[in-house]
Amino acid sequence: MNLILRIIISAVVAFGLSYILSGVHIDKFTTALLVAVVLGILNAIIKPIIVILTLPITIFTFGLFLFVINAAIILIAAKFVPGFKVDGFWWALLFSFLLSLITSIFYRPSKNE
């Protein structure tokens, strides 16, 4: 149930951001759901590998390179999901930052979890 709630929150936020950010395009809500699922899969499988491979540059930049990795994950998801388009790296960077920020605000697990 927790996973489904996270996916729905991510989809709603992503769909809302596509209306606010002119460089991010999601054509319908079912596409936003698919984007949330694909991002979850990429973050679970691909991102840890990339983080390990780029650990020296991540340490050298005091962790700021993780923003670049997040933007790359967004761009990879845009290649896989039809109906989801990002106009460039900077839009992906802004989208990933805002998506992370807003979903963390909306999804706060209770103290009982």
Side-chain angles (χ1 to χ4, degrees):
M1 190 65 172
N2 204 3
L3 177 65
I4 295 170
L5 183 61
R6 280 182 176 260
I7 290 171
I8 292 172
I9 290 172
S10 294
V12 168
V13 171
F15 196 58
L17 285 174
S18 72
Y19 280 101
I20 296 170
L21 302 175
S22 63
V24 178
H25 313 282
I26 299 176
D27 59 0
K28 52 189 171 184
F29 186 71
T30 53
T31 304
L33 284 171
L34 186 59
V35 167
V37 170
V38 169
L39 284 176
I41 292 169
L42 289 173
N43 282 330
I45 297 171
I46 303 295
K47 187 176 178 179
I49 296 168
I50 296 173
V51 168
I52 290 171
L53 291 174
T54 60
L55 193 58
I57 194 167
T58 303
I59 291 170
F60 183 71
T61 61
F62 302 107
L64 292 176
F65 192 72
L66 292 173
F67 287 118
V68 174
I69 294 171
N70 286 339
I73 295 291
I74 296 291
L75 291 172
I76 292 169
K79 297 286 182 191
F80 286 117
V81 180
F84 175 50
K85 183 175 180 276
V86 181
D87 289 341
F89 172 78
W90 294 109
W91 286 112
L93 185 69
L94 182 61
F95 180 73
S96 69
F97 177 75
L98 291 175
L99 183 67
S100 299
L101 181 70
I102 296 170
T103 54
S104 67
I105 290 170
F106 280 131
Y107 185 80
R108 289 188 206 161
S110 65
K111 293 180 182 179
N112 297 333
E113 290 184 43

